[in-house]
Amino acid sequence: MEKKRILSGIQPSGNLMIGNYIGALKSWVKMQEEYDCYYVLVDMHAITVRQDPKILRRRCYDFIALYIASGIDPEKSAIFIQSHVSAHAELAWVLNCITYTGELNRMTQFKEKSVKNIKNINAGLYTYPVLMAADILLYQAHFVPVGHDQKQHLELARDLAQRFNSLYSDTFTVPKPYIPKVGARIMSLQEPEKKMSKSDENINNYIALLDEPDIIRAKIRRAVTDSNTSIEYDNNRPGISNLITIYSIITEKSFDEIKDDFKNKGYKEFKDDLAEVIIEYLKPLQNNYKRIRNDKQYLEDVLKNGKEQAFRSARKTLSKVYRKVGFIQPT
Ligand code: ATP
Ligand code: LTN
């Protein structure tokens, strides 16, 4: 039986952080055993927000090394860069022509990013979800492992697949989101009512995957909690609940077990323990990273292979799409 397809992507912006790992990368690693996986670094998405070219270039290598250091195995999964496969931009155009502006106006990420980038509300930011749909539909992905914030974009990708299929004929697999039950929305450390975000201006809001132990200790110590004292998950106490969620995912202990373990202890002991737990959790990844990032030739080889694999699959879908919409084949 043929394996089902997975596709997912991350933008090379900011610093890859623990929320990206728990919400997405961790599932990517797990899924590569059972599925045919395509993991893309979406550099074309990243330029919807102004990027310094030098930093962007360096960060692309950093992120690819982090994918591998996290456990994505290039022998099992295709790892590639979006701009290396021009079919993404080409399919995005065709999909733009079946997307209604009303649908894009509803996208919460667009609204949030417009507020943050008031001087640069560009058309790319607006049509960003269409490019994301193209990323997914090109590979006929069955599942897309993402955090909760991407659910709305996934719904649009499903709608566009169904719309195209019914306007022309069956062409695209209709993708399903794969969102973890716990940890799909890790919250900011300083402002726990908003999601943790790797491009946050305040680096104290997140734990980067490459943060040094002392930085992790300081960030957790400073994390906002409340005036209560119990170490107990409670929707009305977003700060402590977020820290408990992170603790629970890493240690695989339930919220009740954690509550019992810290029954007669305070925030300080819990936070100290949490910091150590995170440091240990990230250690293997950080060690792998140093080795991989220093081997530029290896990274180039991984990207070359990934691009070739992605290109074959993407071309097949794009040719079908071009034929169906009535474009004549070049001779
Ligand atoms: P940026 O701040 O640069 O826009 P981001 O932190 O939102 O970035 P993305 O590149 O947009 O990260 O997303 C990468 C993956 O991480 C996506 O699958 C996204 O859903 C997931 N993700 C992002 N933030 C969180 C979070 N706070 N909790 C869980 N998953 C998250
Ligand atoms: N929009 C996503 C990143 C992204 C993506 C994708 C995720 C771009 N293309 C395809 C899954 C599948 C984000 O902002 N996190």
Side-chain angles (χ1 to χ4, degrees):
M1 216 174 66
E2 245 185 66
K3 283 183 177 174
K4 293 218 159 135
R5 274 283 164 84
I6 301 291
L7 178 127
S8 195
I10 294 181
Q11 305 180 68
S13 49
N15 293 303
L16 213 54
M17 50 82 186
I18 198 154
N20 304 127
Y21 183 78
I22 291 173
L25 269 171
K26 193 166 170 255
S27 309
W28 296 14
V29 174
K30 209 168 65 192
M31 292 176 108
Q32 64 182 340
E33 302 302 329
E34 219 183 304
Y35 297 93
D36 183 21
C37 299
Y38 288 77
Y39 296 130
V40 54
L41 187 66
V42 291
D43 54 350
M44 290 160 70
H45 276 97
I47 62 162
T48 56
V49 173
R50 204 82 75 216
Q51 304 286 341
D52 175 326
K54 261 204 213 101
I55 297 177
L56 179 62
R57 212 168 286 132
R58 196 191 61 220
R59 198 186 275 131
C60 283
Y61 287 110
D62 296 346
F63 274 43
I64 293 296
L66 274 168
Y67 280 11
I68 302 168
S70 304
I72 308 294
D73 180 352
E75 302 284 322
K76 294 182 186 149
S77 305
I79 300 175
F80 66 102
I81 292 192
Q82 187 180 31
S83 65
H84 290 180
V85 182
S86 60
H88 290 249
E90 295 173 83
L91 180 60
W93 180 256
V94 177
L95 295 179
N96 263 319
C97 299
I98 63 160
T99 306
Y100 306 120
T101 52
E103 291 176 300
L104 297 179
N105 292 338
R106 283 199 293 275
M107 295 291 141
T108 42
Q109 185 172 302
F110 171 66
K111 290 185 211 162
E112 284 167 11
K113 294 221 168 172
S114 302
V115 175
K116 272 196 219 150
N117 301 284
I118 195 81
K119 294 214 179 92
N120 182 22
I121 308 177
N122 60 73
L125 196 61
Y126 185 60
T127 60
Y128 174 116
V130 182
L131 179 59
M132 173 164 165
D135 299 339
I136 299 165
L137 301 185
L138 264 183
Y139 299 91
Q140 308 288 353
H142 296 88
F143 297 104
V144 183
V146 281
H148 186 267
D149 62 313
Q150 295 305 310
K151 194 162 177 257
Q152 195 184 31
H153 289 163
L154 248 299
E155 273 154 20
L156 180 73
R158 286 171 61 80
D159 289 345
L160 293 180
Q162 279 158 345
R163 190 170 306 153
F164 190 96
N165 289 349
S166 68
L167 279 171
Y168 300 96
S169 63
D170 217 12
T171 308
F172 295 122
T173 303
V174 180
K176 290 198 180 81
Y178 177 93
I179 299 175
K181 284 201 184 71
V182 186
R185 194 170 157 80
I186 300 294
M187 308 309 282
S188 151
L189 297 178
Q190 296 291 315
E191 297 163 82
E193 45 302 310
K194 66 172 208 192
K195 90 168 184 88
M196 190 181 276
S197 172
K198 67 174 154 50
S199 300
D200 203 313
E201 274 171 16
N202 180 359
I203 57 169
N204 286 320
N205 275 333
Y206 59 80
I207 303 282
L209 296 182
L210 296 176
D211 273 347
E212 300 280 344
D214 277 345
I215 303 282
I216 296 177
R217 290 187 189 104
K219 286 183 178 177
I220 294 293
R221 210 178 305 128
R222 276 193 217 127
V224 166
T225 46
D226 52 45
S227 56
N228 230 308
T229 51
S230 63
I231 312 300
E232 193 172 359
Y233 189 95
D234 177 346
N235 285 332
N236 298 317
R237 297 169 61 197
I240 188 70
S241 298
N242 187 41
L243 299 182
I244 292 175
T245 302
I246 299 172
Y247 193 97
S248 162
I249 289 165
I250 298 181
T251 59
E252 296 179 357
K253 285 187 180 173
S254 69
F255 294 166
D256 281 343
E257 276 175 90
I258 297 169
K259 184 178 157 193
D260 283 350
D261 286 354
F262 289 94
K263 203 187 246 148
N264 299 313
K265 297 177 182 159
Y267 283 162
K268 177 167 185 318
E269 280 147 305
F270 173 67
K271 283 181 164 180
D272 286 349
D273 205 13
L274 173 61
E276 298 312 312
V277 158
I278 296 175
I279 291 165
E280 281 309 304
Y281 189 60
L282 295 180
K283 204 187 260 172
L285 182 156
Q286 295 185 347
N287 289 338
N288 288 338
Y289 174 78
K290 282 183 201 130
R291 189 173 35 81
I292 297 163
R293 183 63 180 87
N294 281 330
D295 194 346
K296 187 98 176 273
Q297 188 55 52
Y298 170 69
L299 292 174
E300 302 280 9
D301 290 346
V302 166
L303 290 177
K304 183 166 181 282
N305 275 331
K307 177 194 132 181
E308 280 163 9
Q309 245 174 292
F311 181 82
R312 275 195 297 278
S313 175
R315 268 293 134 194
K316 217 159 118 191
T317 304
L318 190 70
S319 309
K320 229 194 238 180
V321 168
Y322 275 9
R323 195 161 23 85
K324 296 213 183 182
V325 299
F327 292 169
I328 56 173
Q329 289 253 23
T331 44

